[in-house]
Amino acid sequence: MISFPPFFGNMFGYLSRSYSQVQTDFSSNRVRRTFTDFFHELYQHIIVPSSPVRPRGDPSLLFVNAGMNQFKPIFLGAADPRSEMATYRRVVNSQKCVRAGGKHNDLEDVGRDVYHHTFFEMLGNWSFGDYFKEEACIMAWRLLTEEYRIPPERLYVSYFAGDATSGLPADEETRHIWLSMGVPSDHLLPFGMKDNFWEMGEIGPCGPCTEIHYDHIGGRNAASLVNADSPDVVEIWNLVFMQYNREADHSLRSLPQFSVDTGMGLERLVTVLQGQRSNYDTDLFTPLLSAIQQRSNCPEYRGRTGEADVGKVDMAYRVVADHVRTLSVCIADGVYPGMSGAELVLRRILRRAVRFSTEVLQAPEGALASLVPTVAHILGDAYPELHKESDRIMDIINENEAQFLSSLKQGRRVIDRTLQRLENNDTLFPVSVAWSLHRNLGFPLDLIGLMLEEQGLSVDQRALDVLLRCQVQTSVGDTLVHLDLHSLAQLQSGEVPHTDDSPKYHYSLAQDGKYVFQPCHATVQALYCGQTLVSEVSGGQRCGVVLDRTCFYAEQGGQSHDQGYFIRDGLPDVLYPVEAVQLAGGYVVHQVTAAEVLRKGDQVQLYLDEPQRLACMVKHTATHVLNFALRQLLGSSVEQRGSHVAADRLRFDFSVKGSLSIPQLQEIERSIHNIITENKAVYIEEVPLARAKDIPGLRTVDEVYPDPVRVVSVAVPVADLYDSQTDRWTSVELCCGTHLLTTGEIGDLVIISERQMVKGISRIVAVTGDDAREVCYIKARRHKTK
């Protein structure tokens, strides 16, 4: 017989009381606070704040997806002994989690039912070598039945039944604990490895678990519905007993220290305590649903699913409500919509939300971002960063929404035109069109599938998978199409004129502060495929395309190439992705995977990826200002030794004796900030090379320059630079890159690293704009913590 600690003395009398109904007086804030206070005040657990949803030094995760993620160093025995974490014995918290992308991905299910989410909160308590099974079970039962007042007859408990293959016995210890606590045997159920044995990964800590399930109906024996995917009987809490380690040879060894890791979804628990059947009917969502209805032209939310949800209106409500929570939490934690990893997943979530908001709910542009204050109102007590970052979150959502709506309109036209060309009995949508929408307009493949599903169509998934595999296997950096000497000679002997790439500089700054890039129409001059010049290429072929003129920037001078696509005249539905752009012997070669047939002489309209180009312009102008600030601080002996400008950051190599001190780096940042704040004009002019070399203070690098050459000057017109009497010392360089027209648009610049590459050569890596502000925020928090 198990003996219980003194503080459980009156527990059994409480369990013998009768319960008639679930209480409904629990707000979500009260539920969360009750959980942490219970373990903190009664059982001396340390309350540890939720970690950000961006994993801390864990490349195996896109997002934090479980409460235990931040404690993995303890489970793995890797916690720094000098850190506070190494002192943890009992811990409790509510952790922000995102399950979208990677192994745990609920994105596809969100909206289709009433309980899946991309963002959720995980309530958890942990013991690291302190208490174990008995105490964990007693604490859990007391919290559920006493503090939350859940009728015990509605609760069912599962435990590990053992596994002969693994040589693991049934967890009889846990079974006896529950029986001794008064749980009836018909409410205590054994299950195997799938349901009741938890593992961190292929290797690492693991162990049996015991789960507590809740019956929404009551007044019956629902044991047969446990772990049967019934919406009426749901798991609410999982208690994991870490007692083994999975070795590399798949064997199990007993851990030197046993631990407890529990997890209970806040959304599901609140649903139970508020007497609801849908997570979306709780106060975690109802204010959002009401706010969505106020901003849309749709009837109020009714909670329908499947065929009953005509027009998928209620699904759209759920998608928007869920996704704006995820966007708000992620952006507040420093994860922004982007082009790779977690950022790409967040971009996909945002675009899915925008599509349902604008097309299904008929909400105006900006409606999605306007929901952020409501999210902050609901979650801000627990996560105050949502209040602090609300304005920035809204700005980022609005900016990305505007970009996507432009793409969405074009994509919808592409789909509609394609549908008009299909025969009445066609059920398959052309793969080439679907792929161009995905590759060039940023349409997630699931969104394309959903849009087609509404039209009773589908796309050949097998063919799409082939294209996806090709994209992975043939990265741009490894398979660039290079014109060989013979092909270059052939072009020249055929008197094919060099590409006019001056349109890459044809942009201006509008009155509203946005850059306007002029359209560019061109003719296909040559096609290069398989190291041969050809007259045409077919759909799916990778090739180099030489045009008579182009607005695309070819990689040179340290600046990354442009991206984008072009459309063939007479075939507006198909987009040809421009994956890389190179300059070879005066010809600009656009690397393309042809979506349809492309022939020499075809007329095409070119479309830049404008945000990517603008980001490179920001970084390039910032690089010039950085170069100038270094000279101001260290003197004219500083020489540029290399640079690289990309959309996400800039890299600058320079000659210097030793590494720079922190005060020196701070002085450089202040100097740059002053130039940004003063919003200096950037002057660009082509001049004869010989004349350019007469400019006092001109900065050059060791490379061959064209003649005439472009001179880029900050604050001082190029014509004034020749005046030897001028006392205006400024940034002036020879540069073929694309630049901003004023320095204020850099926004901000922060140096994120500086180190010696080799003796006498240092490298600075810096970020600008929102990325720079995020770094400043993190630095400020660290300083405050210290």
Side-chain angles (χ1 to χ4, degrees):
M1 188 65 150
I2 297 173
S3 60
F4 296 98
F7 46 72
F8 290 108
N10 64 356
M11 176 178 173
F12 299 103
Y14 186 84
L15 291 178
S16 64
R17 302 176 193 171
S18 62
Y19 298 85
S20 59
Q21 62 181 6
V22 175
Q23 302 299 312
T24 59
D25 57 346
F26 281 99
S27 69
S28 56
N29 281 333
R30 181 184 172 190
V31 172
R32 187 191 298 108
R33 186 173 59 253
T34 297
F35 185 90
T36 54
D37 287 351
F38 174 82
F39 285 99
H40 175 63
E41 295 174 2
L42 296 180
Y43 303 113
Q44 296 75 53
H45 287 61
I46 298 172
I47 299 177
V48 176
S50 169
S51 68
V53 294
R54 182 188 291 275
R56 293 170 174 166
D58 189 347
S60 67
L61 296 174
L62 289 174
F63 300 98
V64 166
N65 58 21
M68 57 77 62
N69 287 165
Q70 70 168 305
F71 305 117
K72 281 176 70 173
I74 302 179
F75 289 121
L76 297 172
D80 188 332
R82 299 165 297 180
S83 69
E84 181 184 3
M85 181 178 287
T87 68
Y88 290 164
R89 292 295 176 265
R90 298 183 176 204
V91 167
V92 63
N93 84 342
S94 179
Q95 173 65 49
K96 298 175 289 186
C97 299
V98 174
R99 289 188 177 174
K103 179 180 178 181
H104 298 287
N105 184 7
D106 292 338
L107 179 57
E108 312 298 336
D109 297 313
V110 171
R112 298 180 185 274
D113 55 39
V114 295
Y115 51 85
H116 274 100
H117 304 290
T118 52
F119 165 75
F120 65 97
E121 296 178 67
M122 185 69 82
L123 304 171
N125 62 288
W126 288 267
S127 163
F128 304 115
D130 193 346
Y131 61 81
F132 200 45
K133 295 180 181 179
E134 181 180 58
E135 294 91 336
C137 293
I138 293 172
M139 292 174 189
W141 195 261
R142 180 177 180 182
L143 175 63
L144 292 178
T145 58
E146 292 190 30
E147 301 296 327
Y148 289 139
R149 305 195 298 274
I150 296 177
E153 63 269 16
R154 290 200 180 195
L155 298 176
Y156 294 79
V157 179
S158 65
Y159 68 95
F160 182 51
D163 184 73
T165 303
S166 301
L168 290 170
D171 189 2
E172 290 295 323
E173 180 184 3
T174 298
R175 175 175 173 269
H176 285 299
I177 290 170
W178 287 119
L179 288 172
S180 66
M181 289 168 54
V183 175
S185 58
D186 61 352
H187 281 226
L188 189 56
L189 311 167
F191 287 91
M193 295 284 289
K194 177 178 178 292
D195 294 300
N196 280 86
F197 194 89
W198 189 91
E199 303 198 43
M200 184 183 294
E202 294 296 325
I203 60 174
C206 56
C209 61
T210 182
E211 297 178 339
I212 302 174
H213 301 252
Y214 175 78
D215 176 20
H216 279 285
I217 304 300
R220 59 177 182 169
N221 189 310
S224 63
L225 298 178
V226 172
N227 284 334
D229 293 325
S230 169
D232 298 330
V233 180
V234 296
E235 173 205 335
I236 57 173
W237 206 349
N238 186 14
L239 317 180
V240 179
F241 305 129
M242 298 283 202
Q243 61 186 95
Y244 300 108
N245 190 71
R246 178 73 72 179
E247 303 292 322
D249 62 0
H250 302 297
S251 64
L252 292 170
R253 293 180 60 188
S254 181
L255 287 169
Q257 172 180 285
F258 289 1
S259 298
V260 173
D261 166 17
T262 85
M264 177 160 56
L266 175 70
E267 289 77 10
R268 188 171 290 184
L269 177 61
V270 170
T271 299
V272 168
L273 296 180
Q274 293 184 3
Q276 302 296 337
R277 295 298 302 276
S278 162
N279 295 357
Y280 292 90
D281 290 334
T282 68
D283 69 345
L284 286 167
F285 289 94
T286 51
L288 266 176
L289 297 173
S290 176
I292 293 169
Q293 197 277 327
Q294 293 171 14
R295 292 158 175 78
S296 70
N297 293 319
C298 289
E300 65 182 14
Y301 176 74
R302 298 182 183 179
R304 298 165 298 187
T305 61
E307 294 181 358
D309 184 17
V310 179
K312 293 184 170 28
V313 171
D314 287 345
M315 176 180 177
Y317 268 105
R318 291 187 289 268
V319 167
V320 172
D322 171 89
H323 288 8
V324 75
R325 281 168 30 113
T326 304
L327 290 164
S328 298
V329 168
C330 286
I331 294 172
D333 279 353
V335 183
Y336 307 120
M339 296 303 294
S340 64
E343 288 77 10
L344 180 60
V345 174
L346 196 64
R347 179 174 181 252
R348 182 181 179 190
I349 290 171
L350 187 145
R351 292 187 164 200
R352 192 168 187 255
V354 169
R355 191 260 169 165
F356 275 98
S357 176
T358 57
E359 292 204 346
V360 180
L361 297 177
Q362 299 295 303
E365 184 174 346
L368 183 64
S370 72
L371 299 172
V372 172
T374 306
V375 175
H377 172 74
I378 298 170
L379 301 176
D381 284 353
Y383 311 112
E385 62 271 17
L386 290 170
H387 287 301
K388 183 177 181 180
E389 300 293 335
S390 282
D391 289 343
R392 185 159 62 96
I393 296 168
M394 288 189 286
D395 288 344
I396 291 173
I397 291 176
N398 277 330
E399 180 181 343
N400 280 271
E401 179 183 41
Q403 293 173 6
F404 181 53
L405 285 177
S406 176
S407 298
L408 190 63
K409 290 176 182 177
Q410 183 173 357
R412 173 59 74 183
R413 290 195 297 269
V414 168
I415 289 177
D416 289 344
R417 288 172 187 157
T418 305
L419 292 177
Q420 292 172 9
R421 297 205 317 268
L422 294 179
E423 301 292 337
N424 291 333
N425 58 350
D426 282 341
T427 58
L428 283 178
F429 190 81
V431 172
S432 60
V433 179
W435 180 250
S436 64
L437 287 170
H438 171 67
R439 178 62 182 81
N440 302 295
L441 291 182
F443 274 61
L445 291 176
D446 70 312
L447 176 56
I448 297 172
L450 192 61
M451 296 170 76
L452 294 178
E453 181 183 311
E454 295 171 355
Q455 303 292 333
L457 297 174
S458 62
V459 67
D460 187 339
Q461 190 59 48
R462 183 174 298 179
L464 272 181
D465 289 342
V466 170
L467 289 172
L468 282 169
R469 284 197 298 272
C470 289
Q471 184 182 40
V472 172
Q473 294 169 359
T474 57
S475 64
V476 171
D478 294 334
T479 59
L480 291 175
V481 176
H482 295 280
L483 280 175
D484 60 77
L485 291 174
H486 296 290
S487 298
L488 279 171
Q490 193 174 343
L491 289 174
Q492 292 164 356
S493 64
E495 298 183 347
V496 175
H498 291 153
T499 309
D500 173 18
D501 64 349
S502 61
K504 68 188 179 186
Y505 300 126
H506 294 172
Y507 53 87
S508 58
L509 194 57
Q511 291 183 347
D512 62 0
K514 294 183 179 180
Y515 278 85
V516 178
F517 296 86
Q518 295 182 15
C520 182
H521 194 268
T523 303
V524 176
Q525 298 282 80
L527 296 166
Y528 184 76
C529 188
Q531 294 188 320
T532 306
L533 291 171
V534 296
S535 59
E536 74 175 55
V537 294
S538 56
Q541 279 190 286
R542 198 180 189 85
C543 63
V545 181
V546 177
L547 305 173
D548 64 336
R549 63 198 308 267
T550 182
C551 58
F552 283 83
Y553 185 89
E555 182 154 0
Q556 56 182 317
Q559 180 176 328
S560 296
H561 62 78
D562 282 338
Q563 297 175 8
Y565 60 93
F566 56 77
I567 295 176
R568 201 180 91 196
D569 285 6
L571 196 65
D573 301 337
V574 178
L575 284 63
Y576 293 78
V578 176
E579 301 162 349
V581 190
Q582 302 163 277
L583 188 61
Y587 299 102
V588 176
V589 184
H590 307 74
Q591 183 166 295
V592 169
T593 299
E596 288 282 3
V597 173
L598 186 64
R599 300 180 177 87
K600 181 180 176 180
D602 281 346
Q603 304 292 306
V604 294
Q605 185 74 31
L606 280 62
Y607 293 90
L608 278 178
D609 182 338
E610 295 181 6
Q612 188 261 355
R613 158 67 84 83
L614 186 56
C616 285
M617 290 164 57
V618 168
K619 304 300 185 299
H620 208 149
T621 302
T623 301
H624 282 217
V625 175
L626 169 62
N627 192 0
F628 175 68
L630 283 166
R631 277 194 300 143
Q632 275 190 312
L633 178 69
L634 304 175
S636 58
S637 62
V638 173
E639 295 289 344
Q640 180 177 337
R641 291 290 183 256
S643 67
H644 183 70
V645 174
D648 61 339
R649 61 181 58 194
L650 64 91
R651 186 193 75 217
F652 190 80
D653 299 342
F654 59 99
S655 61
V656 66
K657 294 180 180 179
S659 291
L660 302 183
S661 65
I662 292 178
Q664 285 178 313
L665 293 173
Q666 291 172 337
E667 179 61 30
I668 291 168
E669 288 182 340
R670 279 194 293 270
S671 177
I672 294 170
H673 181 73
N674 289 338
I675 295 173
I676 294 172
T677 303
E678 291 167 3
N679 197 24
K680 302 287 190 180
V682 179
Y683 298 93
I684 305 171
E685 185 175 327
E686 275 197 355
V687 299
L689 180 58
R691 181 159 171 74
K693 290 181 177 180
D694 291 334
I695 297 174
L698 178 72
R699 306 297 289 173
T700 63
V701 293
D702 186 19
E703 67 178 48
V704 178
Y705 288 98
D707 191 5
V709 68
R710 286 169 62 83
V711 178
V712 179
S713 172
V714 175
V716 182
V718 176
D720 294 348
L721 295 171
Y722 296 98
D723 184 1
S724 60
Q725 301 302 313
T726 182
D727 58 355
R728 301 178 69 182
W729 192 39
T730 188
S731 166
V732 53
E733 299 188 29
L734 303 184
C735 183
C736 62
T738 57
H739 284 270
L740 298 172
L741 301 180
T742 58
T743 60
E745 293 150 270
I746 297 173
D748 203 353
L749 182 142
V750 171
I751 296 170
I752 59 176
S753 70
E754 185 274 336
R755 64 188 180 97
Q756 285 254 306
M757 303 297 295
V758 294
K759 187 176 181 179
I761 303 294
S762 278
R763 169 172 292 177
I764 281 179
V765 177
V767 293
T768 62
D770 288 337
D771 290 337
R773 285 186 282 273
E774 178 63 16
V775 172
C776 288
Y777 171 70
I778 293 172
K779 286 182 177 179
R781 288 193 62 180
R782 287 177 178 171
H783 180 72
K784 184 178 180 181
T785 301
K786 291 180 181 179

